[in-house]
C-alpha cells in the first residue's frame, strides 16, 4: 500500500492566486495518494480557493494561518509562508501517522516524477531545485557517489543552504521531534527548520533524483499583476461582465 504524501502549500490572496493554484492542482491530480494541505495567509479562507479545491477531487485541508502583525509591519524581507507552514506541521502532528511531507509553494513548478521520488524518504531527503538564485540551481553536490557539500548562490553561513522545494521529510521522523518548527527569519527558514530536526546531520541526508543529477522541482516566479479593484469584487476566477 502507498503511504500518503502530504503537500504543505502556503498561499495568499493576490491576482495570481487562482491561476497558480489551478496549475499546481493539475499537477497533483496526476499523483496517487496525495493529501494537499493548503494554508492561506489570511484571517478568513477565500471561497474561490475552497471551490477550486473541491473541484480537484483531491483529498485536501483548507486552513488559515495569518502572518503575525509584527512581521507584516516589518520593512524589508518578510518571513513569507512561515505561519502557513507551521500550521501545516501542526496539522500533521495532530492527524498524520505515516508517509512523507513536502513544502511546496503555490508558484513553483513540479515534475510529477518528483512525487515518486520523495515517497522514498525515510528521514530527510534532498534533491536539486532549478532556477534558484543567481546560480540557477540549488543542490547537494555528490562527487563519486559521496556528498561533498551544497551548491547554492546564497550560502550565508547556513548549515543547510537549500531551497524550500529541495527537501522532504518523513512524518514519523517529524513526530519523533516535537520541537521541530520553522523560524520567522527571512532567508533562514529552511536552515532553521532543518536544524530544528535534531538529531539530524548532513550525513543523515538521503539523496534523491538519481543522486541529485535530475531537476524535478523548479523555483519559478510569476510576474506580479496589477491588483486592481476586481480583486475585491467578482474577477477572481470569475469574470465580472454581466
Ligand atoms: N506567501 C504567503 N504570504 C505572503 C507572501 C507569500 O503566504 O505574504 C506564500 C506564497 O504563496 C508562497 C510562499 O509563501 O507559497 C513563498 O512566497 P513567494 O513565492 O512570494 O516567495 P519566493 O518564491 O519569492 O521566495
Ligand atoms: Mn515563490
Amino acid at each position: 500500500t502507498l503511504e500518503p504524501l502530504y503537500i504543505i502549500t502556503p498561499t495568499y490572496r493576490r491576482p495570481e492566486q487562482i491561476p497558480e493554484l489551478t496549475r499546481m492542482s493539475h499537477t497533483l491530480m496526476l499523483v496517487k495518494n496525495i493529501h494537499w494541505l493548503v494554508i492561506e495567509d489570511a484571517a478568513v479562507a477565500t471561497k474561490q480557493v475552497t471551490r477550486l479545491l473541491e473541484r480537484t477531487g483531491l483529498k485536501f485541508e483548507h486552513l488559515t494561518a495569518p502572518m503575525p502583525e509584527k512581521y507584516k509591519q516589518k520593512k524589508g524581507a518578510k518571513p513569507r509562508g512561515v505561519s502557513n507552514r507551521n500550521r501545516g506541521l501542526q496539522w500533521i502532528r495532530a492527524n498524520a501517522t505515516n508517509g512523507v511531507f513536502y513544502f511546496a509553494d503555490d508558484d513553483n513548478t513540479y515534475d510529477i516524477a518528483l512525487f515518486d521520488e520523495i515517497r522514498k524518504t525515510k528521514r530527510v531527503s534532498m534533491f536539486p531545485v532549478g532556477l534558484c538564485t543567481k546560480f540557477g540551481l540549488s543542490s547537494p553536490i555528490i562527487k563519486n557517489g559521496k556528498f561533498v557539500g551544497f551548491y547554492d548562490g546564497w550560502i550565508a553561513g547556513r548549515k543547510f543552504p537549500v531551497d524550500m522545494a529541495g527537501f522532504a521529510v518523513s512524518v514519523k521522523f517529524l513526530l519523533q521531534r516535537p520541537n521541530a518548527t520553522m523560524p520567522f527569519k527571512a532567508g533562514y527558514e529552511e536552515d532553521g527548520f532543518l536544524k530544528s530536526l535534531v538529531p539530524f546531520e548532513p550525513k543523515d541526508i538521503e539523496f534523491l533524483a538519481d543522486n541529485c543529477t535530475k531537476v524535478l522541482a523548479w523555483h519559478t516566479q510569476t510576474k506580479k499583476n496589477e491588483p486592481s479593484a476586481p480583486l475585491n469584487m467578482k474577477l477572481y476566477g470569475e469574470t465580472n461582465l454581466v
Side-chain angles (χ1 to χ4, degrees):
T1 60
L2 213 52
E3 294 197 354
L5 211 48
Y6 296 97
I7 305 298
I8 299 178
T9 299
T11 187
Y12 70 113
R13 259 177 93 80
R14 62 200 190 284
E16 304 80 22
Q17 182 176 36
I18 295 295
E20 302 286 24
L21 290 171
T22 299
R23 182 170 44 199
M24 186 170 179
S25 70
H26 290 189
T27 302
L28 297 181
M29 284 158 72
L30 297 167
V31 187
K32 286 199 176 64
N33 211 358
I34 287 276
H35 196 144
W36 197 13
L37 311 184
V38 177
I39 305 129
E40 282 197 75
D41 175 356
V44 187
T46 305
K47 67 173 185 303
Q48 289 89 344
V49 172
T50 310
R51 282 208 289 269
L52 186 156
L53 292 172
E54 284 166 354
R55 280 206 294 136
T56 63
L58 288 163
K59 197 169 180 185
F60 71 87
E61 308 298 325
H62 186 188
L63 308 170
T64 56
M67 184 188 295
E69 264 323 303
K70 60 175 170 181
Y71 302 113
K72 237 191 272 184
Q73 311 276 309
K74 246 177 65 178
K75 284 198 282 290
K78 293 179 181 59
R80 287 180 297 221
V82 173
S83 62
N84 325 38
R85 296 189 197 95
N86 281 326
R87 180 67 188 87
L89 293 175
Q90 185 193 342
W91 188 95
I92 288 191
R93 290 188 193 285
N95 299 282
T97 54
N98 64 348
V100 171
F101 72 88
Y102 177 58
F103 294 122
D105 288 354
D106 59 357
D107 55 338
N108 290 341
T109 305
Y110 307 95
D111 187 312
I112 56 168
L114 173 72
F115 302 97
D116 294 328
E117 281 297 297
I118 59 184
R119 268 188 218 284
K120 300 173 186 167
T121 307
K122 299 276 175 262
R123 302 177 301 271
V124 178
S125 61
M126 293 191 184
F127 35 86
V129 179
L131 300 177
C132 269
T133 71
K134 59 183 190 287
F135 286 18
L137 175 72
S138 173
S139 179
I141 309 166
I142 314 288
K143 277 213 168 105
N144 303 317
K146 269 191 63 178
F147 170 66
V148 296
F150 293 98
Y151 182 83
D152 190 287
W154 193 68
I155 298 291
R158 293 185 295 169
K159 180 175 183 176
F160 299 103
V162 299
D163 188 77
M164 197 61 75
F167 64 93
V169 182
S170 135
V171 166
K172 285 201 159 77
F173 190 85
L174 177 82
L175 297 180
Q176 289 159 359
R177 287 157 179 77
N179 297 322
T181 182
M182 187 169 288
F184 284 89
K185 204 173 159 198
Y188 294 85
E189 295 92 338
E190 300 89 346
D191 190 45
F193 173 69
L194 291 164
K195 286 199 291 202
S196 80
L197 289 173
V198 280
F200 170 64
E201 292 299 324
K203 66 167 170 46
D204 304 317
I205 305 169
E206 301 151 78
F207 302 102
L208 299 179
D210 289 349
N211 244 346
C212 297
T213 60
K214 299 260 187 323
V215 176
L216 301 176
W218 302 85
H219 191 141
T220 43
Q221 287 177 313
T222 302
K223 176 186 81 68
K224 290 263 178 282
N225 293 268
E226 212 53 59
S228 52
L231 184 59
N232 305 317
M233 302 170 23
K234 264 176 106 186
L235 187 61
Y236 201 69
E238 299 164 21
T239 74
N240 53 3
L241 306 174
V242 259

